[in-house]
Amino acid sequence: MLAEREIPDDVADEVLDRFTEVGLIDDAAFANAWVESRHRGRGLGKRALAQELRRRGVDEELARDALEELEPEQEEETARQLVRRKLRSMRSLERQVAMRRLLGMLARKGYPGGMAMSIVKEELDASHDEFPLIDSSGIGPE
């Protein structure tokens, strides 16, 4: 952006160094805040968060450090909450259709396939009494 405004490189470097010194630019703090905010607010998994940080120009090591702050248990619990919330609107669907849609939702949000599959299966089984889904034969799960 400074180059677009034809500000000389040495002047831009000096200004950016000064901003960093006084704490106005802190990529690590930005990355940590971004991960926390987007995970809580949008329910994004680590893979999606890593992509967003890369697109915003955050250094790979700083991004990795920020993502390590997100505990696996927290990521799994967020995925479960997303599935539970989405299940409420799937009462009339066949079990396989619901499973496919839930897996797709978690994949788009950056959750690993293995985690997504186990969570979706567990939540479908656990919610059957409250939100019965039919299988392709027209009857509920066994």
Side-chain angles (χ1 to χ4, degrees):
M1 185 168 171
L2 295 175
E4 291 172 4
R5 296 189 176 175
E6 298 180 11
I7 296 184
D9 288 343
D10 59 333
V11 173
D13 289 342
E14 189 175 323
V15 169
L16 291 174
D17 287 345
R18 181 65 183 138
F19 282 179
T20 301
E21 283 176 30
V22 296
L24 292 176
I25 298 176
D26 187 345
D27 286 347
F30 169 79
N32 289 333
W34 187 265
V35 166
E36 180 67 21
S37 169
R38 300 292 280 179
H39 178 72
R40 286 193 189 279
R42 301 262 330 254
L44 298 181
K46 285 184 179 181
R47 190 175 63 225
L49 291 166
Q51 288 174 345
E52 286 192 351
L53 290 172
R54 259 193 308 278
R55 279 194 300 258
R56 279 156 183 76
V58 174
D59 176 74
E60 194 72 30
E61 186 176 335
L62 291 176
R64 191 172 33 255
D65 291 346
L67 291 168
E68 286 177 6
E69 295 295 314
L70 182 59
E71 296 292 330
E73 297 82 17
Q74 182 182 358
E75 185 179 29
E76 184 177 324
E77 182 55 31
T78 300
R80 282 186 190 285
Q81 290 172 3
L82 290 167
V83 168
R84 288 173 185 156
R85 203 168 29 236
K86 187 74 172 171
L87 264 173
R88 293 182 192 128
S89 66
M90 299 184 146
R91 294 175 195 216
S92 63
L93 297 178
E94 289 184 3
R95 183 180 175 87
Q96 291 304 315
V97 173
M99 180 177 282
R100 201 170 45 246
R101 289 184 183 177
L102 292 168
L103 289 171
M105 173 195 64
L106 291 178
R108 286 187 300 279
K109 290 192 174 277
Y111 290 91
M115 175 195 288
M117 180 61 83
S118 65
I119 289 172
V120 168
K121 283 182 177 180
E122 290 169 12
E123 293 302 321
L124 282 173
D125 291 343
S127 69
H128 179 67
D129 291 337
E130 187 178 356
F131 304 111
L133 299 170
I134 57 174
D135 67 16
S136 57
S137 67
I139 56 176
E142 301 169 353

